[in-house]
Structure formats: C-alpha cells, structure tokens
Amino acid sequence: MKIDTQITKLQMFTFLIQTQIGVAFLSLPHEIHNYAKGDSWMSLLLTGVFMELFIIFYILLTNRFPKQHLFTILESVLGKIVGRCLTLIYAGYFLLTGTTILVLFVSMLKKWMLIYTPYWVILLLMVSIGIYIATENLQVIARFSFIATIVILTFIVVAPIAFKDGNLHYIMPVGDAGLMNIINGAAHATLAWQGMELFLLIAPFVISTGREKMKVFTLANLFITLFYAFITFTCLIYFSGNELVLLPQPVLYLLKSFSFTIIERPDLVLISFWIILVGTSFISYLYGASMAGAFLFKKWPRRSYVYLSAITCFVAALFFNSVQEITKLTKYVTYTGLIFLMVIPAALLFISFLFQKRQRGEIDVEN
Amino acid sequence: MSHSSVSNNENVLPTAEDDATFEDRAAFIQRAFGSTEDLMKVPLSFNNKQGVLFYLAVISDLEKIQRSILFPLMKYRDLEVEQIPLTAEAKSKIMLKDSIYTLIQGNSIVVLEGCEELYSFNTVKENTRSSVEPDSEKTVRGSHIGFVENLSTNLGFIRRGIESRHLRIHYERIGQYTNNQIAIVYIDGIASPALVRKLKERISTLSIDMTFSPGYLEELLEDVPYSPFPHLLYTERPDRAIAQLIEGRIVIMAEGSSDVLVLPVSFFSFFQTTDDYNSRIITGSFFRFLRLISFIISLLLPSLYIAVIGFHFEIIPKEILVLVKNSVENIPFPPLIEAMIMAFTIELIREAGIRLPTPIGQTIGIVGGLIIGDAIVSAGLVSNIMVIVIALTAISSFTIASYEMSNTVRILNYPIMLSAATFGFVGIIFSLMFIVGHLCKLESLGTPYFTPLAPFNIKGLKDAIIRFPIWLLKDRPRELRVKNKRRLYRPRRWENNEN
Amino acid sequence: MWKTSMRFVLVISLSVLLCGCWDQRLLKEQKLILLLGYDLNSKGEIITSTTYPISKGKSGTSNAPAAPKSTILSTSGETAMDSLLHADLKISERIDISKAHVILFGEKAARKGIYPELDHIYRNPKGALSSKVAIIEGQVIDAVSINQEEADLNAQYYDEFLKSGIATGFYTNYNVQSVRPLLLHHTKDPLLPLLKLDRKHKRAVSVGMALFNNGKMTGKLSIPESKMYTLLSGEQKQKISFFVKSSHQIGKGRKNDVVVEILGGSQKTTVEVKNKSVSARISAKLQYRVTEYPKDQLTDPQVMSKLTHDIKTGLMKTAESMISQLQMANCDGLGLEEELRVHHNKLWKEKYRNINLREVPIKADLQFEFINSGIIN
C-alpha cells in the first residue's frame, strides 16, 4: 500500500459524514413527519442507535480483513466469480445512488434557486465538479470533504435561531404518535444514512487500528444522528404539523424565514452552501463506482472509470427527471439501499464467520 | 568551484591536449574564443620562462590583475608560481580543458612555458549594488536589508544570519549557454533529506539553454505549472529566507537575481510577513487575519455583487434597497460588463503605473483612480456602487503580502464573475468548489499545498490564520517532514525561576 | 491531466457563452413592490394596491442621490396573484414582490380570511416571508396612497409605524411566516395590528388589534386591550404604559390620574379541567413604575395603597374587557386550546377540538408590585 493514499482518522470522519449528509437531509423532517408526526426526532435517534449495530458489523468485517477493501473482501469470501458479480452489482448501485443524488439535487435547485435554468446545465456543473475531484486519489477527496465540513457547521450555527420563534407545544405531548409510527418513521429514515457502506471501501486506507476505527465510525454516526435529530427538532418546533405537511424541504423553508440585518435572506446563501454537501456525496459515490470499475477491469486507470461513471450518471439523470420518476427512483434507491447498507455486509460477516474466512497474508490494495 | 557543467561546453570546443606546447596551448585558447575582441593577451616572462596572460577585459577587475598577478610575478621573479604567497581562492592550477570555462567567469589565466598546468587567478570584477530594502516586501520594523544581484553576497547574508555548521550550500550550474550558478541552501538536520534529494534530482535533470531569473526555475520545478496559484515563494529579504530555512524549507538562489525561491510552501505562507512576528501578538494576529479576509473579499466581492444585483436582490437589506436600486437604475450595461469595465480599468492603471518612473506612476494613479472613477460614474456608465466594489477589491488584493498571490486573486476574479453572472450564487459556489478542490490537489514539491487546513493539522493552524505567540510555535510545520521536529523547548523558562 | 481539465473548462464556458443567463433578473429591470394591499370590492374580486419606488429625473451630475418617490397602482382580479398579473400589464418593467415590506389587508378582505392572499408568497421561493402584516379599518387603497410626511416611501412609513407599535407593546410581532402556523394550525389564533387613517392629518392611526378565528377576522381590540393582551399573552413584558383613571378624586385641584409603565413580570396561562369541563386562569405578576402622577407625594402609605388599589381595579377591568372581546370573537389568542392539547390531550381529542371560547370561563388574576416613581417622589 502506498503511503500517499492513506488518510487520517479525522479525514475518515469527515469523509463519512460528508458522504451521508447530502441531498436527503433537507427533506428529512418532512419525510419522517409523515409517519412519526411530532415525535420524528425520536425516530431519528432510534435510527441512529439501530445503525450503530451495523457499524459493529462493519467493523467486525473489516477487522477480519484489515488490509482489504469491500471488493477484495467480496472476492475472498464468496469466491472469484460471485465476488466479481457482486462488485458489478455494487458498481450499479453506486451509479444508481449517484444518479438519484443528481436528480434530487437538480430538482431541488430548480425549485429553489434556478427556476429557468435548463436541467442539463445544472447537471453538467455538478458532474464536472464530481469528475474534477473524484479523479484524484482518496487523500484529495478526503481533504476536500474536510473543508466541506465547515458548511455543516454553518447549518448548525444558523438553525438554532429558529428556537427564538419556535413553539415547543408543537412537539407536545411527547410520544403522541405512538411507538409503531415512530418505528415506521425510523425505518424510512435509513436513506439518510446511506453512504455508510463506503466505509468498507476506505477502511484499509485509514491509518489506525480496528479499535480506533470503531471509535471514529461511532463518533461519525453520533454526529450524524445528532445533526439529523437536531435539524428535525428545530423544524418541528418552528413549523406546526399542518405546515410541515405542506413543506417538502422544511430545512430550507426554515432558513428562508430568517432575516438578518446584513443578509436579509440567509436561505440563498445556505442553499448555495448545501450544494457543497451534495457535491461531496456525489464525489464519494463516483469514487466508489470507479473503484469497482478499476477493480473489475484492471486495464485502465481508475480515473477513466470516474469519467465513465460520471457520464453514466449524467445520462441517466437526463432521463429520470419528472416528478413521478423522481419519487419512484427515490423509493427504489431506499430499498436497494437497505440491501447494500445492511443485508450484504451482514451476510458477508455471517459467511466469513461460518466458513472461518479471514485475510491470509498481505494483499495489497490500490486505489 | 564545481566543474560539473563544463561538459556542456565541450561540444563547442576545439580539441586540446595537455601535453601540447606552450604556443599550442595559447593558440588553443585564442581559437576557442574566435574573433571576440575583449579577450586580452599579455605576453610576459617569468622565471626565465615565456608566458601569456589571458583575461576577458569586460568582466575582469584590472586592479586585481595588477595587484595579484602582475605585481607578484614581478616581485617573486625567481620563485615557482606555486610558491607565490596568495590565498587558495586567488590562485589555482587548472587543466587546459577547463581554461575556457574559467576565463568566462572572469578569471585570468597564465600559460607558462614548460608547465603542464595552467594557472588561474581570481580577478572577477565584483559589480554589486549596495543592499537596499526591497520595494515589494517593505516592513515597518525589523531589518531593512534586501538581497542583491550577487550570489556570493547573498549567500553571505544567509551565512551571517545562520552561524551554524549545519548550513549546507550546494552549487549547481544550469543553462547550456548562460551557465548560471545557482545554490541550493538548506540546513542539514532540519530539512527533510527526502525533499532535498528530490529537489537536487529535479534540478540536476533540468536541461535548458538559459535561465536568467528564478521565474524560469520556478516554472521548471513546479508540480503543476498551469495552476493559477504560486507554489514557490519569492522573497528578497534575507531575514525571511533565514526564517524559512530554519522552519525546514529549502532556498534556491541564483546568480544575478535578488529574488530567492523558497520551497516547499503552503498556501498560508503567502500571507505571512516579517512584520507579523515583529509586532505584538494581538496586532500581528489581527493583521494576518485581515490579510486572509482581504483574500476572500478580493476573490468574491465583485462576483457577489454581480450575483446580488443580477439574481438575488432580495438579499439586500430593505434599508438600502432603494438606494442600490436608484444607483443601478440608469446604467446601460448588465452588471458583468460593468464589473469587467471597472476591473479592467484598475488593471490598466496598475500595469501602467508599474513600469513608469515613480513620479509619473503617481500621476497615473491619480488620473486613473480619481478622474476616471468620477467621470465614469457621472457619465452613467458604471454605477457608483460598482466603483466602490471594484476599488475595495483592488485594495484588498494589494493587502495580500505576496505580489504573486495578489495577482492570482485578481485573475481568478474573472471566471468567478462570469459564473456569478450566469448562475448567481450557485455559480459562485461551483467556482469556489473548483478552487478549493484545486487547492486540495496542489502539491508543492510533494507536500500538500493547502495544509494546515487540508490535510488538517491543528498545530499548523497556530501560524496560519492568526499568529500564535512565538513561545507556542514549538513545532516545525509537519508537512515538511523535517528531521528535527521540535523547534523550541522551554522558551520562557525564566517564568519558573521567578515564581 | 491538463488536457482533460482544459476540456471541462471549455465545455462549461461554451455552455455559458452559448446559452446565456436564464435566471437573471436584473435589479434595474424590476419594479420593486414595497407595499402591498389587498381588499375586496363589491363584486368579491380582490383589489391589489401596490406602491413602488421610481427614480425620476436624476439630478444631472450631482452625486447626491435624489430622494426616492413612490407611485401607486391598483388593479383587481379573481385572486391575489391574478390581480398582480393584471398589475404587470400596467407597469413598464417586471413586477417583483420579493421585497415587500408590509402587506396590508382591508377589513373586508380580512373578514374573509387572509391565508388565500398570502398563498402565492408562501409558494414563491423568493417570497417575502419577513414582511409585516396589518389590517386597515376601511379601504386599503386609501392607506396605500396616503400622503404622509414622515418617510420618503409609504412602505417605509408603515414598516416603521408597525415596528414602533411592536416596541411600544400594542402590536403583536407577527410577520408573514410566523403568522402562518396560526392560520393553519387552529389551536391558536393570531392577532394582527389594526390601523385606521386620519385623512385630515395625513396619518395612519393605531386603533388596536384585529382578532382572528380560524384565519378570519372576527373582532377588534382597543389600544388598552391590545396592550393588556401583549402583556398577558407573554408577547412582551416591558415598556408597556397604561393610563389609569382614579376613582378617588381628591379635591378639585390637580388630577390624581396615573400613568404606569410595566417594567417586567411573570405571566402564566393555566387550563383547569374539572369533570371534563374546562376553565382557564391567566395570572400575572407585574412590576411597574409610575411615570406620571400630577398629585405627587407618592411616599405617603395611604396614598400609595389607594393608588395600588386603583391601578389594580383599573387594569383588571381592561383585562376583563380584553378577555370578553376575545371570547366574543372566539379568538384563541392566548393559546388555551394549545394548552389543552398539550396537557389534556385525550380530552382535547374527544371534546375540545376547535374549542368555543365563549363556553370557557376565563379568569384573570393580576398582581402588581410598585418599583419606583421615577426620579421624584
């Protein structure tokens, strides 16, 4: 393994949170509110706890194969043919997620800021920044993610302004929605955690022990859970239930209703910042897809697969852009996401336990 | 002196054999220079031997020739040349094949009958100006010395500043025809040996016909030459160069240039000035921070204005909305054109002022700044707010400590303005993402350029955005992978003693 | 590497150069509607009155900006947006309402509900959510075209007018966004500033607040009642002054009426449930100072106790009349239903959805504490 491509623990942390926080979080309070009403924030905490379980699975898996990334693990556990097939499916999944990110991003941007700008132009902007950064090695991507994290901080700093006009009565009485609805809401929140699976890809490049990875991964999960819960909580106390039903992107609406002396409409600035968060998610998925490509066909360098995946996402996003298709796509991605986020890693772990498979010797991975 | 590059010259030389006769050797020298008329040939006889003294009149110091060749040769007529008491540097024995090259440097050569070797005397004419404070890096406090155009004088400044046996100077010659001498200076035991090796390797593989300034070198050595950001630091200040050496960086100096190159550097090096350390902690930090803010202002202000006026005017506070509206109401151009006109005018004024003699330069500033600015507003071509914006941008770009970085910012303004005029804030953010992505990619001699921000290094931040107290800057920058990481141990030990 | 990035730059710049700026809306090409008024005409159509600044006759070379002037446009249409579309037909540039400072409603329109008129603002990503909302007694067109002398633009005038009203405590501080949950979420009702015009003196006059029930205006509060409302609803706890007429007129000399200013206090709304019937109790502990008492000699304990009593009965009366006004209008400005929903959720679900305030006895309980009498006794 070349030292050049290793990343630090902090970079792993920021990479993970940047991958996970992307398009979904703007509409998260609305989505969960459909199920869990005023108790949506509890649903999110619940999802966080639930995800922690899978983090343990992930860590157990990577500890068994400390020098291997997802695709080589697939190969060692399931054999060459099945492993490679699954890698191909993974590549497809990454492309699908990348496409969904693009589609949702453009549709939101067209709603909120660039109403008349053609669809493909905005798409092109995002794809070009994706290619520009994803062609670089993991280290550069991680550095970029770190800087983008500053954006999340601005969201955290700005959102509490809503507390002043908030009304705690909106979320009371606590537990009104009922346990089933809360769990239902929690189940629908898993899409917001999507991106966690990329940990399996970057795990061998992180300079740390398995225990430290566990710590960092848990911290990242804690951060994300609290961040989502916090944003949702803010929206819940700022908007009444009847309002939230009408607002598909309550986070943006929340920002839109603030007004400062110098910047009268902070939402414009923060929507622009949000683009960076989407960008990092997209870059991460491009990276994942290109890794899969480079692993399957070693003939070309990874860079060329970045171009290929980006163009695939671009073309796919051009086709799926009506409202019905977007809902369909989102639904589809949520369910496939569940498979790739939970089922496959858990199954891998199970099989590797069952057949006592673990990494033998040094297997070098490149990125 | 190094003879390593002599081989470069061999292809143009006629062949010569050391065992040739005295006349042949003299003729060989004469032939090598062909018809040039500044080659002087003085016949002399010494110790009953015939001899010829050669020198190039334009670069030799005639006084020195008198003093260290002709007088001693007269005085010690009956001694061997070796026995004439002169310092090692003033006199040396060379082979015939090296003679041409030695002459070109300004030395004089004596060819003697019956001697196999030739004698070279150091008669190089030293024409250096006295050291003055560099115009581009003025300071309020601290030393006012600047480098000069002479390599050995400049090296002298460094040696005098770092009186340590660990200072290493490595000479190289580059330029097939110009044969300039350059020096790679570093401190053994601090600078990363890997970096030094890498740099030496890069320099030794350069193949170019001429280098007349570090700018040439910079382009040849850089990792990403097309990047708009400078990734080698120029300085004309010995104290700054010394500080960089002690932090573990490497300095390249070239004969004939008063600028030295420092590498590897990070983005934040361009915002540090000597004054930061000479002033008090709080003021120093404030000015450092001010420079970073001014970087952001000059990068974004015009495009923000364009985006606000052209796309998102709901962001303007309602108190000044009507004012802004009235100001742009009768302007015939869209904001992009307006900004381009003004920014371009400022560039013209700057460029015009830079090459002119100082008094005229000032006039240009007044004509450009005051008269054009006022006239363009009253003519209604550009709104007065745009004039404020562009003027503020220009001023902030000039606050950046480095001339190169301030140019970079102003160049980067144009693409950002263009994207702001097309997509509003979205365009600005996308351009910023490209710029930050580029900064994350950039490496200066293999060390990350945007450190300590990316990769993040909390210790490095102590000297990046603000300046921490000197006694807290205990470690050298981590990205330089220095050998001796620790810089200070207990800088304020007296505190323990006094308690 | 360079080739590829060059290609990108090329593609992007080409797309930029070829297609132009789709979303551009230049400030100079917009008519900024700063004041928006909605009213109903006799046919039930919506009349929208707008003012926008115009910069006429720029004073040549002088650099001092000319004082902005505004002009008025009034159009009608089936809905709010429709009438604005009609307005667009009559304006030289595009109209833009994203910077509206104040939105005024005629009383007639307010009685039919104000949410429908605001819908297009909520729906627009550039909608002015922070503009203030006020109700005008009478015709909105008169208010919009008022020829006041205090500010350059009428929009600024109303903006400042409402701002000072909020600071003095006789208006609630609602803007378009913060009033929205109350219009949608029927467990609490908003109260909005109510103005009227004094055409003779070219001024607007505050007359109190408009009461709403389920998004429709149903009643009015007078100024002292409005002040009492802001105090008891916890909107504002300071800087509210009351005039209290004393019942003990001593002699004929100087009047012993008193003006007090509330300096602070605590307020609590409690809903009590007994045998599934609800009663409410609003208790407040208020600290006050005397800002005018021509009789002087406030150090006399006898005078003091009488005065305290007077203040208490006087203000209790105001509070009671405020409550009865609220009840009459069925305006749940105090958020009783919300209290009920939060603390007695089951009962609320069973019985008290859309509570009828007239059936709920509300008691006010005010305690007063004297702090000082200014810098003289």
Side-chain angles (χ1 to χ4, degrees), chain B residues 345-445:
Chain B
T345 313
I346 293 262
E347 287 301 304
L348 286 181
I349 296 169
R350 190 194 56 81
E351 192 63 25
I354 236 172
R355 316 249 174 267
L356 289 173
T358 323
I360 306 177
Q362 279 170 356
T363 323
I364 289 283
I366 293 165
V367 170
L370 297 179
I371 300 180
I372 295 184
D374 190 53
I376 212 162
V377 170
S378 13
L381 291 177
V382 172
S383 67
N384 39 21
I385 297 188
M386 183 57 92
V387 173
I388 298 174
V389 164
I390 297 291
L392 211 57
T393 308
I395 290 189
S396 348
S397 83
F398 292 128
T399 24
I400 299 167
S402 147
Y403 176 69
E404 283 76 30
M405 191 55 100
S406 105
N407 288 345
T408 301
V409 168
R410 270 177 290 120
I411 295 288
L412 282 178
N413 252 326
Y414 293 96
I416 305 181
M417 282 199 281
L418 200 66
S419 58
T422 320
F423 302 106
F425 282 172
V426 178
I428 297 181
I429 283 290
F430 272 109
S431 347
L432 272 186
M433 275 164 86
F434 272 105
I435 291 173
V436 171
H438 180 73
L439 284 174
C440 290
K441 277 182 178 187
L442 268 190
E443 290 190 341
S444 168
L445 202 70

Side-chain angles (χ1 to χ4, degrees), chain B residues 226 309-311 313-314 316 318 321-322 324-326 328-333 335 374 421-423 441, chain C residues 1-2 16 20-28 30 32 55 63 68 93 96 98-99 101 126 153 159:
Chain B
Y226 286 114
I309 294 297
F311 287 81
F313 54 78
E314 55 268 35
I316 306 173
K318 54 187 168 199
L321 178 71
V322 179
V324 177
K325 162 98 173 146
N326 278 346
V328 298
E329 192 67 49
N330 295 315
I331 306 302
F333 307 118
D374 190 53
T422 320
F423 302 106
K441 277 182 178 187
Chain C
M1 179 57 237
W2 168 247
V16 165
C21 330
W22 301 272
D23 276 286
Q24 179 165 281
R25 38 178 209 136
L26 293 176
L27 180 59
K28 62 176 180 186
Q30 313 280 324
L32 297 174
S55 67
N63 277 335
E93 291 170 352
D96 185 284
S98 66
K99 288 307 283 182
H101 295 188
K126 301 183 172 74
L153 300 169
D159 192 37

Side-chain angles (χ1 to χ4, degrees), chain C residues 103-331:
Chain C
I103 297 173
L104 298 174
F105 283 90
E107 195 181 331
K108 214 164 150 194
R111 288 203 184 263
K112 283 204 117 181
I114 61 172
Y115 188 81
E117 277 80 28
L118 295 178
D119 181 76
H120 73 100
I121 295 177
Y122 294 132
R123 204 170 283 281
N124 185 352
K126 301 183 172 74
L129 290 184
S130 59
S131 47
K132 298 192 169 63
V133 184
I135 314 292
I136 301 287
E137 253 183 7
Q139 298 280 318
V140 160
I141 179 76
D142 298 334
V144 171
S145 56
I146 187 174
N147 204 1
Q148 47 75 30
E149 285 157 350
E150 291 179 13
D152 286 335
L153 300 169
N154 282 351
Q156 278 168 7
Y157 175 70
Y158 284 109
D159 192 37
E160 283 158 18
F161 198 92
L162 293 172
K163 222 187 263 173
S164 81
I166 289 160
T168 337
F170 41 85
Y171 291 150
T172 48
N173 186 8
Y174 284 124
N175 59 24
V176 172
Q177 168 55 30
S178 59
V179 79
R180 181 183 190 187
L182 308 187
L183 295 174
L184 281 173
H185 172 88
H186 298 305
T187 53
K188 195 179 174 186
D189 291 314
L191 284 82
L192 294 174
L194 186 64
L195 311 175
K196 127 185 138 177
L197 290 175
D198 181 349
R199 230 168 298 172
K200 204 168 130 200
H201 297 105
K202 296 179 183 170
R203 286 176 182 285
V205 184
S206 306
V207 289
M209 279 202 277
L211 302 177
F212 280 77
N213 179 33
N214 286 356
K216 292 180 176 127
M217 179 174 162
T218 47
K220 294 174 190 175
L221 286 186
S222 69
I223 287 291
E225 286 164 353
S226 304
K227 286 182 188 166
M228 190 51 80
Y229 168 78
T230 47
L231 206 57
L232 292 188
S233 64
E235 281 272 332
Q236 203 179 355
K237 288 171 182 164
Q238 265 187 333
K239 294 184 195 161
I240 303 176
S241 295
F242 289 99
F243 167 79
V244 182
K245 208 163 176 67
S246 169
S247 51
H248 309 268
Q249 212 54 272
I250 311 166
K252 281 211 165 177
R254 286 184 277 179
K255 283 188 176 177
N256 64 344
D257 296 337
V258 62
V259 176
V260 294
E261 186 187 325
I262 307 295
L263 291 176
S266 60
Q267 143 283 335
K268 206 178 171 191
T269 309
T270 45
V271 176
E272 283 152 28
V273 179
K274 262 184 200 157
N275 300 329
K276 296 209 167 186
S277 70
V278 175
S279 66
R281 181 190 182 80
I282 298 153
S283 51
K285 246 188 197 161
L286 303 168
Q287 285 121 31
Y288 71 92
R289 66 179 181 134
V290 174
T291 49
E292 188 186 51
Y293 185 62
K295 226 30 204 157
D296 294 342
Q297 276 136 23
L298 274 171
T299 38
D300 185 346
Q302 221 180 342
V303 175
M304 200 58 226
S305 73
K306 261 186 190 163
L307 196 68
T308 314
H309 182 254
D310 279 351
I311 290 168
K312 188 170 176 178
T313 48
L315 292 184
M316 275 297 278
K317 224 193 256 167
T318 319
E320 273 154 18
S321 78
M322 183 269 291
I323 288 168
S324 72
Q325 287 290 341
L326 284 179
Q327 280 178 315
M328 274 216 319
N330 196 14
C331 169

Side-chain angles (χ1 to χ4, degrees), chain A residues 120-121 124, chain B residues 422-423, chain C residues 10-20 22:
Chain A
W120 63 273
V121 175
L124 197 68
Chain B
T422 320
F423 302 106
Chain C
L10 203 71
V11 166
I12 291 170
S13 46
L14 266 184
S15 66
V16 165
L17 292 174
L18 292 179
C19 303
W22 301 272

Side-chain angles (χ1 to χ4, degrees), chain B residues 60-232:
Chain B
S60 305
D61 193 335
L62 300 183
E63 182 68 25
K64 275 192 193 165
I65 294 177
Q66 268 316 335
R67 206 173 52 230
S68 58
I69 306 175
L70 299 181
F71 280 155
L73 288 187
M74 292 295 194
K75 202 169 163 191
Y76 307 104
R77 238 167 214 294
D78 31 297
L79 289 178
E80 289 296 313
V81 180
E82 283 87 5
Q83 291 163 328
I84 298 175
L86 278 171
T87 58
E89 207 213 356
K91 175 192 79 177
S92 56
K93 269 205 230 172
I94 55 165
M95 305 304 284
L96 181 60
K97 65 175 163 53
D98 300 333
S99 61
I100 309 293
Y101 181 66
T102 318
L103 264 172
I104 289 172
Q105 290 171 343
N107 298 310
S108 304
I109 284 182
V110 174
V111 187
L112 274 182
E113 192 184 0
C115 284
E116 236 170 62
E117 287 107 354
L118 309 178
Y119 295 98
S120 140
F121 295 86
N122 183 355
T123 54
V124 181
K125 197 199 271 177
E126 307 272 351
N127 42 357
T128 48
R129 62 177 172 94
S130 60
S131 163
V132 292
E133 174 158 37
D135 272 337
S136 55
E137 285 174 277
K138 285 205 164 132
T139 59
V140 184
R141 297 256 168 277
S143 90
H144 295 281
I145 303 175
F147 283 127
V148 293
E149 282 77 9
N150 183 291
L151 181 62
S152 56
T153 317
N154 290 349
L155 285 170
F157 284 137
I158 302 273
R159 267 282 181 213
R160 197 132 313 141
I162 306 175
E163 296 189 344
S164 158
R165 63 188 176 84
H166 296 293
L167 184 75
R168 296 283 179 276
I169 298 171
H170 172 81
Y171 289 109
E172 285 277 356
R173 282 191 175 271
I174 47 175
Q176 217 163 331
Y177 288 97
T178 54
N179 247 315
N180 286 27
Q181 188 165 39
I182 62 164
I184 303 170
V185 186
Y186 58 95
I187 297 181
D188 192 31
I190 298 179
S192 152
L195 284 183
V196 173
R197 212 176 313 126
K198 203 168 183 173
L199 182 67
K200 281 183 183 167
E201 164 104 22
R202 279 192 193 184
I203 285 184
S204 63
T205 52
L206 293 182
S207 164
I208 189 167
D209 59 346
M210 69 179 270
T211 61
F212 72 99
S213 69
Y216 254 71
L217 267 181
E218 186 189 2
E219 268 178 32
L220 295 171
L221 293 176
E222 269 172 338
D223 298 62
V224 190
Y226 286 114
S227 163
F229 288 95
H231 27 316
L232 302 180

